[in-house]
Amino acid sequence: MKTLRFLIVPLAALLLFSCGVTAGLGSRVKKLSVGMSKQETVRIMGGSYDIVHSVMTPQGDVVEIYRYTEALVGDDYEVEFFNDVLVRFTMLEKAPSQPEQGPHGHRH
């Protein structure tokens, strides 16, 4: 009976932890709205992002795109800023998984 308890408690903790993590970015994205400042957006989404695109237009405007990745779930979200104002946010479509190819191009 003790062994069963030692198995159930860690499994329950893992389940609760993973549910909290997987809801992380998805629930944060719901708090975003177009027109927010970049500072407010990063405060909501977190500071762990990749800069996908950053450019200054000939008119002097700055366009930046940040990508947030939900590691456990594999969901990616992009947020786009124009002059430090959030103008677009989206969940990226996952590429369909393809079978691995062998050394001669054959699929396994």
Side-chain angles (χ1 to χ4, degrees):
M1 190 66 170
K2 282 186 177 183
T3 14
L4 186 59
R5 188 177 334 159
F6 285 117
L7 287 174
I8 291 175
V9 172
L11 288 175
L14 180 64
L15 179 63
L16 289 173
F17 175 75
S18 65
C19 288
V21 171
T22 58
L25 283 180
S27 62
R28 290 186 220 159
V29 167
K30 292 177 183 178
K31 297 177 184 177
L32 298 180
S33 61
V34 171
M36 286 182 163
S37 69
K38 178 166 61 171
Q39 182 180 8
E40 188 176 6
T41 302
V42 171
R43 183 180 54 77
I44 291 170
M45 294 297 291
S48 181
Y49 56 82
D50 294 312
I51 299 174
V52 176
H53 181 79
S54 183
V55 66
M56 181 178 281
T57 68
Q59 296 78 18
D61 297 309
V62 176
V63 178
E64 296 176 293
I65 299 175
Y66 292 179
R67 178 173 296 155
Y68 289 88
T69 300
E70 186 99 56
L72 291 177
V73 181
D75 291 337
D76 287 343
Y77 297 88
E78 281 188 354
V79 294
E80 182 176 345
F81 303 101
F82 183 80
N83 292 331
D84 292 340
V85 175
L86 181 63
V87 294
R88 177 184 67 88
F89 56 96
T90 188
M91 181 178 172
L92 301 176
E93 295 289 326
K94 293 181 187 178
S97 59
Q98 297 182 5
E100 292 182 28
Q101 290 189 356
H104 303 290
H106 300 289
R107 293 180 191 259
H108 296 269

